[in-house]
Structures are given as C-alpha cells and as structure tokens.
Amino acid sequence: MDRLIYTQLAGLEAAMARQNATAQNLSNANTPGYRADQSSFASIYVNGAQETSRVAPKKSSDTPDMTSGAVQTTGRNLDIALEGDALLAVQQPGAGEGYTRRGDLQINSSGTLTTGDGFVVLGQQGPVTLPPAQSVSIDSQGNVLVVPPGGDPSQPQVVDQIKLVSPAGKALNKATNGLLVAANGVLPDDPDARVQSGALEGSNVSVTGTLVSMIDASRNWDSQLKMIGVTRDMDTSGTGLMKISG
Amino acid sequence: MTNAALNVARTGLDAENLRMQVIANNLANVNTTGFKRARANFETLAYQAMIPAGTQSSTQNTYATGLSLGTGVAALGTASDQTQGTFQNTGNPLDVAINGAGYFQVQMPNGTTAYTRAGNFSLSATGTLVTADGKPIIPQIQIPTGAQSVTIAPDGTVSAVIAGTATPSVIGQLQTATFVNPQGLQDVGNNMLTATAASGAPQVGQPGTSNNGLLQAGTLEASNVNVVQELVDMIETQRAYEVNSKMIQATDDMMKNANQQI
C-alpha cells in the first residue's frame, strides 16, 4: 500500500489542529483580556535517496495575537484597561512573573489585589496588599489609592503602584495557565504605561476572522478526506489487479 | 487550502465593522457639546502584480494591461468633520461658544495643555474658571469673591461687577488657540483634544484677531452630528457588510463544490 495515505493523515491532523485552535478562540470570544491564538504549521521534509519523497505538515507552537481588543467602559473602580501594549505583571504560582491584559481586578479574602481569574497582581515590591479601606481606586499611572475607614474621601492615599511592563518587541508565549510569559526572563518596567480606570478590555478574537478560518479548515479537511478516498480507490484497483480468482 | 477570495471578503467585513463603530460613536455623541463627528477613511491593500503591465509577452509585443490582484481593504484613519455645530442659547453667562476657528485651552492634571470646543464652564470653589470636570482654563481667570455678575465679551475680555462698585472691572482675557491642521488633533476623551505632530503647533491669540473666531457668551455649540446622514451611512455599511458575507458564502459553496463534485 502506498505511503501516500500517511501524508494525507498528517494533513487531516493539521486541519483538525487548526479547527481546534479556532474553536478555542471562538469559545473565549467573551473572556476579558484573552489574546487569540494564532496556529502555525511547518513542513517536514522526508528525503529519499535522490529526491524529496514526501512533505508532511506539522503543527508548530501557537503564538498569541497581541492586537488590542475592544474596550468597554464599566464604571467599576477596580476595572482597568491597559493602554498601548502595556502588560500587567502577576505572580506565577510557584515562582516567576506572568503577564496579562485582564484588568478586572478584585480584592481577595486576605486583602491582596488579584485579577478576575485569581492571579495575584504584583506591585513595586511583591504582591499588592491592601489595608482595610472604605474605597479603593486606581489612577491612570497604576497607583493604587485607598481611603482608610473614617478617612476623607477626597484625600485618598497611595498604597502601592501596580507593576506595568512593556513587551518592547520581545516574543511572548502563553503558559499552560493562560498567562503570557516572556521567552527569556522578565520584562522591564514601563514608566510610561498608562491605564484607563473604569474600563475593561475584552478579548481580541475577531469573530469574522475566526469564522473564515473555520470555513477554511473545514474545506481543507474535506479535501484531505477526498484524497484519502482517492488513495483507497487506487489501492483497491491495484490489489484487484493482483487478485487470484477462484 | 487558503482561498484568497475568503480573506479579501474578511477584510471587507472588518472594515465595515470598524465603520459601524465610528457611526455608533457619532450617534452616541449626538448631544455632546462641541463634539465633531468622525468619518472612517478606507484604502485598498497592496496589490499583487502577477504579470506587471508592459512585460514582454513575445519578442515583439508587451502586455497591454497586466494582471494585478487586490488583497482587500483596510481602514486608513478617522477624519473629523470641522463644520461648526448649531448654537444653543442657554442664558448662562459662563457658557461660551466660539463662532469660527479656535479652541479653548485647558490645563490637564498631568501639566500638559489640552484643547476643547466645549465651552460649558463653571467656577471652582476658589473662584477659578474651570471646565465642568474641574480642569482650569488657560490663561487662568480668577473671579474675586463678592462679584455679582460675570460677563465674557466677544473678544474674550472677562469682566465682573464687584459689590459696591457701579461699573464692571476687567478681570482677565480669554485666549483661543488655532491649528494649521485641526483634523490632526488627537481625541483623548472628556471632550479634550491634544496637539500632535500632525496638527502643528498651537497659535494662541485673542478671539477676533488673525483667524481666531469671536466668542459668544450665553451660548453652547451643539455637536455637528447629522442624524439623517449617520442613518444613511449605517444602512450603507450594513448592506456592504451583507454583500461581503454573501461573498464568503459563495466562496464556501465553490469550495464545497470542488470537494464534493470532482
């Protein structure tokens, strides 16, 4: 049997992998701060004695798409939308820093500032811990302002400054917990980063782009299947020729 | 298989989507003082010259037209419409509208200067002339305590009648700024615009001099959004969106045909 069918199998798997990435993006179309995954494929050359025998596709790692998503004004004190390409630094469970664009901040039971999916936000020296307060707000430079109980609401005090970094042209990848990580080490602080308070950035999944990818991948899948059918027919007629009747 | 027609139609959908957002913003701000409506500008994306026109088709002849394939549309920018909005008479002496070119200068909290057409001013607790959200006007006008009425003259002179005097005394002088390219000003929210490299440097002057327009107190400039124009644009955008999605449907059918019939 011809090995042609294995090349088509690789093609089928590539089409399915692309469909998986598309489904993943579409399901996260409403997750705040989600960055769409862009799947990429590489060709694997199988070289014969004198010529290239086959070329099969193989999935390479996904890269996150860093375009900005739509910003929605929510009016909530702790919602921040990062301007430009700034990233919010959060603590990676274990060790190290992760980065995210998800700005729906909350205060957890131990008084630490966390993102909406539970990652602890980093300030200038470690996690941002807040004292008991009447109200908490964040200004455009990332300073966390609190009004202590019984204090004057028009005179909030600066407690800490959220660590905002800029990717500065470095490659970012997604870790298994969804946080963005720099390819090597930690990203530098960005003193010019600004946030918009009371607004939230949505996911940057482009619904039209995802639908077009979905149609593409479906038709690709159909083509590969058709090729498998053709290969099977070739094989059947080939073995039919060699059949000994009787 | 990546079908080129699919991707081209997808750029069309994205562009119409963006235009819809611009129209939605215009309609949302139909009652915002001093708002200038925006218009989305589109441009064609790069063409692939498969056969450049003029290449040799045989030893004696050249191609008359060549084969160029377009790759779609992209949004180039949003241009603001500088038409003056209609004036609304409010009767409030601190409401000012500029009749002609010019912007009021406002002091932003971070020290930079912003510009605005919205002249709905108020007095702060200390008597300074400020915008509705408390940002002081440049040059700073300080109304003394005990002033009974404040008048802003068309040339920008601010005068007030102090209790105990008969004639009004001049307190300060409002100045406006004009730009070579006002469309190049950057909207930063809160009705404020900032100068950029595209707008040119501000030319500050007294209202009525050079090309600064005269002020009109007791009036506010309404937004220049024409609702009928926006609705027509909206219908246009919607139909363009539909036609592009029809394109995607048709291309999908063609690919299905290729897969199933052949």
Side-chain angles (χ1 to χ4, degrees), chain B residues 125-147:
Chain B
T126 50
T128 333
L129 194 65
V130 294
T131 61
D133 50 357
K135 301 204 258 282
I137 309 299
I138 300 171
Q140 200 169 53
I141 310 282
Q142 181 76 38
I143 313 290
T145 46

Side-chain angles (χ1 to χ4, degrees), chain A residues 18 70-71 141 194 206-213 215-224 226, chain B residues 1-3 6-7 10 13-14 17 21 110 241 248-249 252-253 255-262:
Chain A
R18 187 153 169 224
V71 172
Q141 281 155 320
R194 294 283 172 267
S206 154
V207 179
T208 51
T210 337
L211 289 175
V212 164
S213 297
I215 292 174
D216 231 354
S218 301
R219 295 300 169 200
N220 196 358
W221 171 273
D222 281 344
S223 309
Q224 305 294 336
K226 190 154 182 77
Chain B
M1 60 186 166
T2 319
N3 190 307
L6 265 190
N7 286 318
R10 179 260 166 107
L13 285 179
D14 284 341
N17 224 358
Q21 185 176 353
N110 61 0
Y241 192 91
I248 291 191
Q249 242 179 316
D252 186 34
D253 281 342
M255 292 203 279
K256 181 169 88 172
N257 200 328
N259 278 335
Q260 292 174 357
Q261 312 286 58
I262 298 177

Side-chain angles (χ1 to χ4, degrees), chain A residues 42-63:
Chain A
S43 317
I44 307 292
Y45 288 76
V46 178
N47 293 320
Q50 279 162 349
E51 291 183 18
T52 305
S53 152
R54 307 170 195 286
V55 183
K58 178 181 182 269
K59 192 162 187 324
S60 331
S61 53
D62 290 346
T63 43

Side-chain angles (χ1 to χ4, degrees), chain A residues 136-225:
Chain A
V136 186
S137 62
I138 303 178
D139 78 358
S140 65
Q141 281 155 320
N143 291 314
V144 183
L145 305 158
V146 305
V147 175
D152 183 4
S154 61
Q155 310 262 358
Q157 298 161 3
V158 176
V159 165
D160 201 345
Q161 186 182 20
I162 298 178
K163 184 170 179 189
L164 297 167
V165 301
S166 102
K170 293 216 185 122
L172 290 167
N173 292 319
K174 269 199 208 175
T176 46
N177 54 7
L179 288 178
L180 298 163
V181 286
N184 46 351
V186 163
L187 290 175
D189 263 14
D190 185 3
D192 294 326
R194 294 283 172 267
V195 306
Q196 202 181 331
S197 175
L200 194 56
E201 184 189 358
S203 98
N204 70 349
V205 168
S206 154
V207 179
T208 51
T210 337
L211 289 175
V212 164
S213 297
M214 199 168 78
I215 292 174
D216 231 354
S218 301
R219 295 300 169 200
N220 196 358
W221 171 273
D222 281 344
S223 309
Q224 305 294 336
L225 266 186

Side-chain angles (χ1 to χ4, degrees), chain A residues 42-127:
Chain A
S43 317
I44 307 292
Y45 288 76
V46 178
N47 293 320
Q50 279 162 349
E51 291 183 18
T52 305
S53 152
R54 307 170 195 286
V55 183
K58 178 181 182 269
K59 192 162 187 324
S60 331
S61 53
D62 290 346
T63 43
D65 176 15
M66 293 309 291
T67 3
S68 302
V71 172
Q72 197 187 3
T73 312
T74 56
R76 184 170 166 265
N77 283 355
L78 291 177
D79 276 346
I80 52 173
L82 299 149
E83 287 180 17
D85 53 1
L87 295 167
L88 185 63
V90 295
Q91 201 173 50
Q92 277 274 26
E97 267 178 22
Y99 307 103
T100 180
R101 293 277 292 195
R102 188 173 175 145
D104 55 345
L105 305 182
Q106 296 163 358
I107 307 175
N108 72 0
S109 49
S110 41
T112 340
L113 197 63
T114 64
T115 60
D117 45 358
F119 294 108
V120 173
V121 174
L122 291 176
Q124 297 306 305
Q125 296 113 12

